[in-house]
Amino acid sequence: MTNTRNSKRRSGMSRREILAAGAGGVALAGFTPSLFSIARAQAGAIKIGFPVPLTGPFGAEANDQVKAAEIAVKEFNDAGGFQGRLAELLVRDDKLNPGEAATRTLELIEKDKVNYVVGSLSAAVQLSINNVTKERGVIFNSISQSDAINEVKDWSKFTFHEALNPHMTAGAVGRYAFSKFGKKVVYLTADYAYGHEMVRGFESAGKLLGAQTLADIRHPIGANDYSAFLPRIQSLRPDVLCICNFGRDQVNAVKQATEFGLKEKIKIVAPVLLYTARVAGGPEIFEGVVGGTSYYWRLEDTVPTAKAFNDKFRAANGGAVPSDYGALGYAGVRSVLTAVKNAGTTDTAKVVDAMRSLKYDFYKGPQYYRGCDHQSVQSVLVIESKSKDMKDKNDVFSIVGVENPDEKNLRSCADLGHKA
Amino acid sequence: MSGLTLELLLLQIVTGVALGSVFVLLAIGLSLIFGMLTIVNFAHGAFYMVGAYMGVFLYGLTKNFWICLVLVPLAVGTIGLVVERFLVRPLYGRNIDDPLLLTFGLGYVFIESIRILFGLNGIPFSTPAGLRGAVDIGIGYFPLYRLFLIGATGMLVLGLWLFIEKTKFGLIIRAGARDPEILKVLGIDVSKIWLLVFGIGTGIAGLSGILAAPLQAVTPEMGIPVLAEAFVVTVVGGMGSLIGAVTAGLMVGIVVAMTSLFMPEMAKVSIFLLMALVLLVRPQGLFGRAGLMG
């Protein structure tokens, strides 16, 4: 009966309930079912917990990190492991949520009894993981950018930082861009730690070159339309626009800036120019955008270890090349496993010492962890997005500059609050 | 704020109208379905996302944006028809949160399916050839595509209004929204009307998806934030009101543009503040009928 059916339908719920449900729905929308598989523990395995945001806006990068980390594990196991013990990667989805990451990490340590933790892909999430590992005395090698993790407040002797940090990345890009394209700068910044740290990195590099900040426009993280910020940027007439955001925010911001014709008079620069963002955005959108990166696969033209790593990755993933953040998954896991071999034990204190004295070249040239804060001292690449002369569909950037590993490009130990 | 000129202010308003157009497109589909069927369609954002992906897919086959602009709403609308007929219809007469939960879950099914079919990373979609670049509109340069978007939204709204207000079929739809029982007595099959309305609503969601595809990254999750915004617009305008959706959509667009200019950090929060304000003063929304929900 339509009548009773209909009247029931209409009286079932009040406006308030609908609104509440709507709000709940919006909150839940960030939550998606996890995809990870629980690997069965083998007796005596060396277990590495690997919390990364498999679902959510950085899912593409995170899945690439897992693929690369698996190569490091396979390499180690194919070489016979350590005293017959094989390595095992325990991947968990942290959903890009600091709370979720802390819970998963605690589970990894308490329930799965992992020996070490490597992972994370967010400035905030890595601090949350680090809080747990530091309290439990477990080594954590972070593969995501952050300045704060090396500061004495958050750091512990179990904390290692394999990724670049905003100070190094923005510094390298700033030194390149401000001397080449001009000194008047506008920042379009995602309003959270990552964005703020990148701006600080640009400004400290810019200060020495006489760069001038015309405006730092902060946008909410995860915005999908940036058009409302663009007329003002245009009217400020800067030489350089630094878009300090990440992932899809970067794709959307660059796409819309291109659409508004900003590129005709302004050089667009991103502190971290992401391989996945470039692929998702397309060649025309990103044409001419300059940025920094820890790794680009074409490094294989000059660096033999890059070639070796790329070949392994290609063989395991149907010819695909590793992305920047993906490669960090490889280096992060491999350095811990190498330290185990060097230490001759899985004992945490000894492995910490072995990591501290590690001089390695796994995929991008020489690297080492600085003594005071365990930041990996490494090269920073400055790249430019291209739409022509592409060798194949993966050849999306040209390497226009390389800053060699040098502690003077890092914040000093004293700046970070460390004694030595 | 330094460097504030009249040109900038006007350009900002135009930007807001263009932004608002996307909100309008999204909200009318949502509002239409709610107004006629009293179904809160939580899969609306997912239909929008499917529209964008279908646009990318069909563009790859046809290489013609205009053909896609016709095909995508038809295809997404057809998915909507199937959803209404086989999933939503059995739930009529149950509590209003049953279809809500159904569409909420359906949204995830769509997102996961797209992830499986097209991958986690987004895919590029360029602005159609004739609509690229920025043009001088007297107060500064503005992207041609966004001007087109404003025009397209205007045409769609006009068309929909004429359809609902001036055609015989529209009369039946309006009657069905007011009193389905009388309509039934008059010998009209109400279930067919609901089917069609759901198809039109989801078709418009699909159309908004392909229209938005050149503006932003096409990703499986692109419909999630948009759903929240569409709900805000619908609630501000009054659920079920076409003119409400249009007014509120443009209003929200301009509010976002203005806060972006003066308080950029507040751009995202501003629309929720606007909603709270409107609800305090006028709980049924700007153009909503009081008591629609009981």
Side-chain angles (χ1 to χ4, degrees):
Chain A
M1 294 291 287
T2 316
N3 186 30
T4 46
R5 278 171 33 174
N6 190 54
S7 63
K8 219 173 152 190
R9 229 158 34 85
R10 298 247 149 158
S11 60
M13 206 176 190
S14 74
R15 159 174 296 275
R16 261 170 222 288
E17 282 174 301
I18 291 273
L19 285 177
V26 171
L28 267 171
F31 171 90
T32 41
S34 52
L35 299 159
F36 61 79
S37 59
I38 299 165
R40 197 150 293 280
Q42 36 193 136
I46 300 168
K47 294 189 202 169
I48 297 177
F50 201 76
V52 283
L54 294 176
T55 51
F58 305 159
E61 280 86 4
N63 281 279
D64 218 39
Q65 289 180 323
V66 173
K67 286 179 197 159
E70 277 165 353
I71 291 176
V73 168
K74 186 172 180 294
E75 240 172 45
F76 180 82
N77 291 344
D78 287 350
F82 167 69
Q83 294 175 354
R85 293 172 70 185
L86 298 183
E88 188 190 343
L89 195 69
L90 285 78
V91 180
R92 297 291 181 268
D93 185 7
D94 69 29
K95 300 186 179 137
L96 202 60
N97 175 327
E100 180 82 20
T103 312
R104 295 281 88 82
T105 307
L106 203 57
E107 261 174 29
L108 281 167
I109 296 171
E110 296 291 324
K111 202 171 119 263
D112 301 307
K113 310 275 181 218
V114 295
N115 301 80
Y116 318 104
V117 176
V118 179
S120 84
L121 183 49
S122 142
V125 170
Q126 69 185 297
L127 293 180
S128 161
I129 295 173
N130 187 51
N131 260 331
V132 177
T133 51
K134 145 171 135 175
E135 204 171 279
R136 310 271 152 169
V138 174
I139 291 175
F140 171 46
N141 196 2
S142 165
I143 53 173
S144 164
Q145 294 229 4
S146 163
D147 276 336
I149 196 161
N150 297 102
E151 289 168 12
V152 77
K153 183 169 70 71
D154 276 288
W155 188 82
S156 81
K157 65 173 180 174
F158 306 107
T159 308
F160 287 81
H161 195 233
E162 177 60 42
L164 294 175
N165 61 39
H167 186 86
M168 294 161 79
T169 317
V173 177
R175 280 183 283 277
Y176 177 85
F178 301 151
S179 51
K180 204 166 163 151
F181 307 116
K183 310 270 192 280
K184 284 188 284 176
V185 189
V186 169
Y187 298 93
L188 180 61
T189 310
D191 196 10
Y192 73 120
Y194 173 90
H196 302 169
E197 289 180 356
M198 286 298 179
V199 172
R200 196 178 57 189
F202 273 120
E203 286 189 326
S204 75
K207 206 154 60 179
L208 300 170
L209 294 163
Q212 178 201 357
T213 303
L214 301 180
D216 179 6
I217 301 169
R218 306 222 158 150
H219 71 76
I221 180 174
N224 49 20
D225 201 290
Y226 295 82
S227 61
F229 304 109
L230 302 175
R232 184 174 167 215
I233 294 173
Q234 213 153 15
S235 76
L236 286 165
R237 299 175 195 282
D239 301 316
V240 177
L241 168 64
C242 295
I243 298 184
C244 298
N245 55 19
F246 193 83
R248 286 179 187 160
D249 289 5
Q250 187 179 83
V251 180
N252 285 332
V254 172
K255 189 166 188 176
Q256 288 151 16
T258 303
E259 183 201 344
F260 269 74
L262 255 61
K263 274 195 213 157
E264 282 162 32
K265 293 196 182 108
I266 306 169
K267 190 70 181 177
I268 296 181
V269 155
V272 176
L273 189 52
L274 291 163
Y275 178 79
T276 47
R278 160 61 184 78
V279 171
E284 293 88 19
I285 305 292
F286 272 85
E287 167 67 39
V289 176
V290 164
T293 188
S294 54
Y295 184 72
Y296 174 56
W297 69 275
R298 283 294 299 273
L299 209 55
E300 71 182 15
D301 297 348
T302 50
V303 179
T305 49
K307 174 95 175 78
F309 167 58
N310 287 342
D311 286 344
K312 280 178 205 153
F313 193 93
R314 277 189 278 244
N317 296 289
V321 292
S323 68
D324 30 40
Y325 275 84
L328 284 166
Y330 173 75
V333 169
R334 186 165 161 192
S335 58
V336 174
L337 290 174
T338 308
V340 168
K341 275 190 174 169
N342 290 356
T345 167
T346 54
D347 175 67
T348 297
K350 302 242 166 60
V351 175
V352 166
D353 288 338
M355 280 181 82
R356 285 171 62 91
S357 55
L358 207 58
K359 300 264 184 273
Y360 58 105
D361 175 2
F362 293 156
Y363 75 116
K364 61 175 287 192
Q367 289 178 258
Y368 64 94
Y369 296 105
R370 180 164 73 168
C372 71
D373 66 344
H374 297 173
Q375 169 61 41
S376 174
V377 182
Q378 58 186 299
S379 59
V380 183
L381 312 182
V382 180
I383 50 178
E384 179 162 359
S385 186
K386 60 180 174 185
S387 60
K388 294 176 209 70
D389 305 322
M390 293 163 66
K391 204 167 121 188
D392 56 44
K393 73 177 170 57
N394 300 323
D395 187 21
V396 297
F397 299 130
S398 328
I399 300 176
V400 293
V402 178
E403 247 181 27
N404 288 319
D406 190 340
E407 285 191 25
K408 80 168 169 33
N409 295 333
L410 274 59
R411 288 159 83 204
S412 73
C413 293
D415 275 357
L416 298 167
H418 298 288
K419 288 205 180 70
Chain B
M1 211 192 78
S2 64
L4 187 64
T5 59
L6 185 64
E7 278 83 9
L8 177 56
L9 214 56
L10 289 174
L11 203 56
Q12 204 66 24
I13 291 173
V14 181
T15 310
V17 172
L19 263 182
S21 299
V22 183
F23 293 143
V24 169
L25 281 172
L26 278 159
I28 48 179
L30 197 64
S31 196
L32 194 67
I33 292 174
F34 179 78
M36 309 288 171
L37 281 69
T38 330
I39 283 177
V40 183
N41 181 18
F42 261 91
H44 202 70
F47 277 105
Y48 160 87
M49 178 273 297
V50 168
Y53 270 93
M54 206 168 269
V56 173
F57 180 71
L58 290 175
Y59 187 77
L61 294 179
T62 62
K63 300 284 173 208
N64 187 323
F65 182 70
W66 307 102
I67 293 177
C68 297
L69 220 47
V70 176
L71 288 181
V72 167
L74 290 177
V76 177
T78 308
I79 300 176
L81 292 179
V82 173
V83 166
E84 200 279 348
R85 179 62 191 84
F86 296 102
L87 297 173
V88 178
R89 189 173 295 181
L91 301 182
Y92 288 143
R94 296 222 214 147
N95 207 323
I96 193 167
D97 45 12
D98 283 13
L100 188 151
L101 287 172
L102 170 88
T103 51
F104 187 75
L106 195 64
Y108 278 121
V109 172
F110 283 165
I111 292 175
E112 284 303 328
S113 312
I114 291 291
R115 280 179 181 156
I116 292 165
L117 289 173
F118 293 93
L120 294 172
N121 202 3
I123 38 179
F125 189 75
S126 305
T127 312
L131 296 170
R132 272 180 214 161
V135 288
D136 193 350
I137 53 167
I139 45 172
Y141 282 86
F142 197 77
L144 186 59
Y145 186 78
R146 284 187 193 244
L147 292 175
F148 161 75
L149 192 66
I150 297 174
T153 306
M155 302 252 293
L156 183 80
V157 169
L158 188 69
L160 201 63
W161 182 80
L162 287 174
F163 174 71
I164 291 176
E165 296 294 326
K166 302 291 171 196
T167 65
K168 216 167 173 183
F169 203 84
L171 189 69
I172 296 172
I173 290 182
R174 277 182 294 148
R178 293 288 168 99
D179 197 335
E181 189 59 15
I182 292 285
L183 212 57
K184 213 180 168 227
V185 169
L186 292 172
I188 292 166
D189 188 350
V190 182
S191 62
K192 275 194 187 134
I193 293 172
W194 285 347
L195 178 71
L196 190 78
V197 167
F198 199 87
I200 294 174
T202 49
I204 295 174
L207 180 67
S208 359
I210 178 172
L211 282 171
L215 298 178
Q216 51 167 287
V218 176
T219 66
E221 297 83 15
M222 67 188 283
I224 294 173
V226 152
L227 180 68
E229 287 157 359
F231 269 113
V232 171
V233 172
T234 317
V235 168
V236 168
M239 296 187 95
S241 160
L242 182 63
I243 180 148
V246 175
T247 316
L250 294 177
M251 206 163 119
V252 167
I254 292 172
V255 165
V256 169
M258 284 305 150
T259 35
S260 298
L261 184 60
F262 294 107
M263 285 179 290
E265 298 91 339
M266 301 288 284
K268 212 174 189 173
V269 184
S270 64
I271 65 170
F272 295 99
L273 290 177
L274 177 73
M275 176 171 82
L277 204 71
V278 168
L279 286 181
L280 277 175
V281 181
R282 225 183 127 75
Q284 71 271 38
L286 295 175
F287 292 89
R289 273 177 290 151
L292 189 64
M293 306 189 71

